[in-house]
Amino acid sequence: MGKTYEGGAPLAEVVRSGFVEGVHRGSVVVLDAAGATVAAVGDATSPIFPRSSNKPMQAVGMLRAGLTLADPADVALVSASHAGEEFHLARVGALLARAGLDASALRCPPDLPVSDEARAAVLRAGGGPTRTQMNCSGKHGGMLLTCLAAGWPLDGYLRPEHPLQQRLRAAVEEFTGERAAAVGVDGCGAPVHAVSLTGLAGAYLRLVSAEPGSVARTVADAMRAHPDVVGGTRADDSRVMRGVPGLLAKIGAEGVLASAVPGVGAVALKIDDGAGRARMPVLVSALRRLGVDAPVLAEYAEAPLFGGGLPVGAVRALW
C-alpha cells in the first residue's frame, strides 16, 4: 500500500444549463463476490481516512470487547452517523440511562442535528448544540458502555492508547486486511485509522459475508434491518439500504462511502474535494457494474442542480 494518497480521476461532472461548469475528481474500487478487483479508477490502494465508514468495524470491536445490546437497533445506533431526529436522540438517551450515565459522559463535541428539519426545529424552540445531537453520539455511547462492560476506565476513552481504542483499531485492521497507515482525530474526537479504499471495500464484503450469528454478521444485519437508525429518514445511505435488498452502506465524511451486497460484491469510493453531491451518482455507476439496480438507484443516478428554484442541470457520473 502506498504511503500517500495520490488523488483521483474525474468521476462526476457538474452540468448547468447544458454547460459543464465543474468536475469532481476521486477514486473508486469495485470488488466481486470473491473480493477480486473488477474495476478501479484513481488511487484505490493508498491510505485515506474512511472517517465514519469505519464505524461498522468499530462496532464489531465493541461487541467483541464485551458490549451487550439486546436490541439490534442499538447495534445499528453504535454504528451510526445519525441525523439527530427525535427517535435518534431518545435511543441515545436510553442507551446511556441503562448504564446509569447521561450526556455529560459523552466526549463528542456539542453540535446541532445533521438533519435540516431537526436542526430547524431545535433552533425554533430556542435550543442549541448538545452532545447527544452530535451525529456520532451513538458510537460514543457504545464506547462508554463497552468500557463499563470490560472494566476499563471511562476517563480518556478516546485516547489511541486506551485499551478500548486498541481493540477498535485491531478490528479495523482485521477486516480491511491492512495495518493502519496513520491514526488521526475524527470530527467527533475519536481516533480514525487510515486504510485504502480496496481494504475498506473488502471489509464491507467480509461483514455481509460473515457467518450468521457471528459478531460481524450481527453488525451488518442490524444496520440493514434498521437503516433509519444508521443515518436518518432522508439520509442517502439509509435510503439505499432500504431500497436495495441486502445492501450494507455507510457514508463517511470527506466524500467517502462504502457498500457491499452479499454474493455480489463491494464498492468503496472517495470524492477528493469531499463533495457529498457527487458521491451517490458515482456509487450508482459503480453498483451497476456489479449488476445491482433498483428504483432508488435510478433516483440517485443524477443529483439535481437548481437555478431560480427550478431544476437547470445535474451532477452526473463520468465513470
Side-chain angles (χ1 to χ4, degrees):
M1 185 171 66
K3 293 184 179 180
T4 304
Y5 177 63
E6 297 178 356
L11 292 182
E13 61 181 3
V14 184
V15 183
R16 181 178 296 275
S17 305
F19 179 81
V20 178
E21 67 172 347
V23 174
H24 294 290
R25 302 175 67 89
S27 300
V28 191
V29 64
V30 181
L31 307 182
D32 66 16
T37 299
V38 296
V41 66
D43 184 1
T45 58
S46 296
I48 55 105
F49 281 136
R51 305 296 295 272
S52 286
S53 293
N54 274 345
K55 283 179 177 173
M57 290 86 79
Q58 292 173 314
V60 169
M62 291 184 228
L63 293 173
R64 285 179 172 176
L67 176 63
T68 301
L69 298 170
D71 188 342
D74 285 334
V75 178
L77 182 69
V78 304
S79 312
S81 300
H82 67 71
E85 298 171 77
E86 283 296 330
F87 69 93
H88 292 125
L89 306 186
R91 188 166 287 279
V92 173
L95 185 73
L96 293 170
R98 287 200 296 272
L101 302 173
D102 60 28
S104 66
L106 299 170
R107 294 275 68 85
C108 53
D111 204 352
L112 288 166
V114 171
S115 161
D116 292 340
E117 294 83 0
R119 182 169 59 251
V122 168
L123 295 175
R124 280 197 304 270
T130 68
R131 296 184 191 277
T132 304
Q133 291 170 168
M134 200 273 166
N135 72 92
C136 297
S137 63
K139 178 182 78 172
H140 281 251
M143 289 178 175
L144 289 167
L145 269 63
T146 303
C147 289
L148 291 175
W152 298 327
L154 300 186
D155 184 48
Y157 76 89
L158 294 183
R159 291 199 297 264
E161 64 272 16
H162 191 283
L164 168 73
Q165 299 302 337
Q166 290 293 307
R167 292 292 188 93
L168 304 195
R169 173 176 180 163
V172 171
E173 292 181 335
E174 174 189 342
F175 279 83
T176 60
E178 299 176 359
R179 290 188 60 82
V183 180
V185 180
D186 213 335
C188 67
V192 59
H193 304 96
V195 295
S196 73
L197 289 172
T198 300
L200 183 63
Y204 275 62
L205 192 58
R206 293 181 184 97
L207 288 167
V208 299
S209 304
E211 288 294 320
S214 66
V215 173
R217 185 64 174 270
T218 295
V219 171
D221 287 351
M223 292 175 67
R224 291 179 292 182
H226 300 278
D228 287 359
V229 175
V230 175
T233 54
R234 298 189 180 183
D236 293 339
D237 46 7
S238 300
R239 291 195 67 227
V240 294
M241 281 195 284
R242 287 200 304 267
V244 180
L247 180 73
L248 175 68
K250 183 70 189 71
I251 283 172
E254 293 300 324
V256 177
L257 195 156
S259 66
V261 180
V264 177
V267 174
L269 64 91
K270 177 176 172 59
I271 307 301
D272 288 350
D273 62 8
R277 66 181 183 177
R279 188 163 41 198
M280 296 306 291
V282 175
L283 174 67
V284 171
S285 176
L287 287 174
R288 285 176 172 170
R289 288 170 180 256
L290 290 170
V292 178
D293 211 348
V296 70
L297 297 184
E299 295 177 32
Y300 278 116
E302 294 187 349
L305 296 178
F306 296 90
L310 298 174
V312 296
V315 179
R316 60 194 186 196
L318 287 171
W319 182 73

